[in-house]
Amino acid sequence: MRHLTTVFDVSSEEVLTIFKIVGELKTRLRAGERPELLKQRVLTQIFDKPSLRTRLSFETAMIHLGGQASFFSMKDAGLYGRESLPDVARVASSFSDAIVLRTFSHSTVDEFVQWSRCPIINGLSDDFHPCQALTDLFTVQEVFGELKGQHIVFVGDGNNVATSLLHLCAKLDIRLTLACPVGYEIPDNQVTAVRKRHPQVKFEQTQEVRDAVKQADVVYTDVWISMGQEAEAETRKRHFTGFQVNSELLALAPSHARFMHDLPAKRGMEVTDDVMDGKQSVVFQQAENRMHVAKGILVWLLDAMK
Ligand code: CP
Ligand code: NVA
């Protein structure tokens, strides 16, 4: 049984297999086909944080593919005192073909894996967002026609989204630069783990955001205040001044560069309206791809491709 708790759970070949499934199912959907690859399969989603894209993409993916999805908050599922996590994990997984979790601590995902009888998918934890990273690089491949040689410049916080993107860029040999204020780099233990697994990784961290975007094929940003960091809002806003992706910053990038954001965006904070809605933005293509990639992940994990 396989899980997707971090990008480290899949090999580069498996990522390319998932991308192939995604591409095929996306084309088939456009042609009006909704093959019932997951007929009568059941997905359970248990979330501890809000979500639009992740929840809806997995729910829609299941419906398109002939299965069903149910959703619980962690509290309604019985965590936070009604019963123990191992008991919830054993019961929920005995009814489900797969479980998507959205948690604060990543250790909750790992603990579920320990007790689960079905594959566990991490739909975002404080540390990682593997489904987003897979979507991001699938989108880069779709937009540019190939992944090879692309350079992603992530402007902002070295958070869960940036960390999973680093894992996947290292795996697929894509260059990644993080431009961030001092103290907001990707955690050292993650950078060390990546360098150990992928000694050839093309990764730099810098505070020189204007220089960094000059060589970008993709300028990517995410919120400055992630879910759970609300108490740090004012400090973070102060520290991230100068790291907004606005039209002036994007104009420094080559004209072929594209803008990406995992969403939700705080318009006027980390990104301006003109960039979000501008010609270089592919954010809504990227958001739509969450659903196509959810299908690829489910079909691959459940070995359901015909
Ligand atoms: N990008 C993303 O995970 O969006 P949601 O938080 O809406 O699921
Ligand atoms: N870094 C953000 C991503 C939201 C999809 C957060 O964790 O809130």
Side-chain angles (χ1 to χ4, degrees):
M1 185 171 66
R2 301 290 297 274
H3 303 281
L4 180 62
T5 63
T6 80
V7 168
F8 288 157
D9 286 340
V10 282
S11 70
S12 51
E13 292 75 27
E14 287 168 338
V15 171
L16 298 179
T17 301
I18 292 171
F19 285 1
K20 200 159 164 277
I21 298 171
V22 176
E24 188 179 326
L25 291 179
K26 186 169 177 179
T27 306
R28 287 176 76 177
L29 183 68
R30 292 267 150 95
E33 275 182 61
R34 297 181 180 196
E36 295 196 316
L37 302 177
L38 299 179
K39 194 170 178 195
Q40 294 187 358
R41 303 283 193 115
V42 173
L43 178 73
T44 302
Q45 304 205 77
I46 308 177
F47 282 27
D48 215 4
K49 289 173 175 171
S51 170
L52 172 67
R53 279 143 292 268
T54 306
R55 175 180 174 175
L56 193 55
S57 63
F58 277 103
E59 237 169 73
T60 308
M62 286 304 290
I63 293 168
H64 281 180
L65 298 175
Q68 287 270 355
S70 60
F71 179 86
F72 297 87
S73 67
M74 288 256 170
K75 190 164 173 285
D76 285 340
L79 297 154
Y80 294 116
R82 188 163 185 259
E83 58 189 317
S84 73
L85 185 150
D87 290 357
V88 172
R90 277 184 286 192
V91 173
S93 65
S94 70
F95 294 172
S96 311
D97 292 290
I99 294 178
V100 182
L101 297 175
R102 175 164 281 203
T103 67
F104 286 93
S105 169
H106 185 73
S107 62
T108 307
V109 177
D110 287 337
E111 213 182 332
F112 253 87
V113 164
Q114 220 183 305
W115 296 101
S116 180
R117 298 192 200 164
C118 72
I120 297 292
I121 299 166
N122 176 5
L124 182 146
S125 62
D126 283 348
D127 299 340
F128 308 110
H129 200 359
C131 302
Q132 185 66 52
L134 287 167
T135 304
D136 298 339
L137 289 198
F138 176 81
T139 306
V140 170
Q141 181 177 277
E142 194 174 57
V143 166
F144 292 101
E146 64 172 347
L147 280 171
K148 199 170 179 300
Q150 308 301 342
H151 178 199
I152 301 175
V153 176
F154 190 105
V155 178
D157 190 13
N159 61 15
N160 44 7
V161 170
T163 301
S164 286
L165 202 53
L166 170 61
H167 288 179
L168 194 58
C169 283
K171 201 171 276 295
L172 299 182
D173 200 27
I174 306 298
R175 183 170 171 210
L176 178 71
T177 299
L178 172 66
C180 68
V182 178
Y184 292 94
E185 295 84 4
I186 289 176
D188 283 344
N189 64 336
Q190 292 303 323
V191 176
T192 307
V194 165
R195 292 202 190 280
K196 208 167 151 203
R197 279 167 188 258
H198 306 284
Q200 309 305 322
V201 61
K202 300 171 190 140
F203 174 60
E204 308 116 64
Q205 307 194 81
T206 175
Q207 290 127 47
E208 304 302 327
V209 60
R210 298 173 71 85
D211 282 343
V213 298
K214 284 180 187 155
Q215 299 171 47
D217 298 300
V218 172
V219 177
Y220 193 130
T221 193
D222 183 20
V223 289
W224 294 342
I225 303 141
S226 284
M227 293 179 278
Q229 297 174 335
E230 291 76 11
E232 299 168 36
E234 290 315 312
T235 318
R236 283 178 166 266
K237 279 188 221 168
R238 217 173 39 248
H239 289 167
F240 279 99
T241 306
F243 288 84
Q244 182 186 64
V245 182
N246 50 37
S247 49
E248 193 223 337
L249 184 72
L250 196 59
L252 298 174
S255 56
H256 72 264
R258 291 291 171 266
F259 171 70
M260 295 177 72
H261 192 310
D262 50 291
L263 306 182
K266 280 273 181 271
R267 288 168 177 259
M269 206 184 289
E270 78 276 3
V271 60
T272 51
D273 283 336
D274 51 0
V275 169
M276 274 287 284
D277 302 325
K279 282 209 289 283
Q280 286 164 278
S281 172
V282 294
V283 297
F284 295 107
Q285 179 178 349
Q286 182 186 2
E288 181 195 318
N289 280 339
R290 284 297 307 273
M291 191 274 290
H292 302 295
V293 170
K295 286 182 181 174
I297 292 167
L298 289 165
V299 166
W300 176 75
L301 273 176
L302 300 177
D303 197 17
M305 198 63 183
K306 284 178 190 141

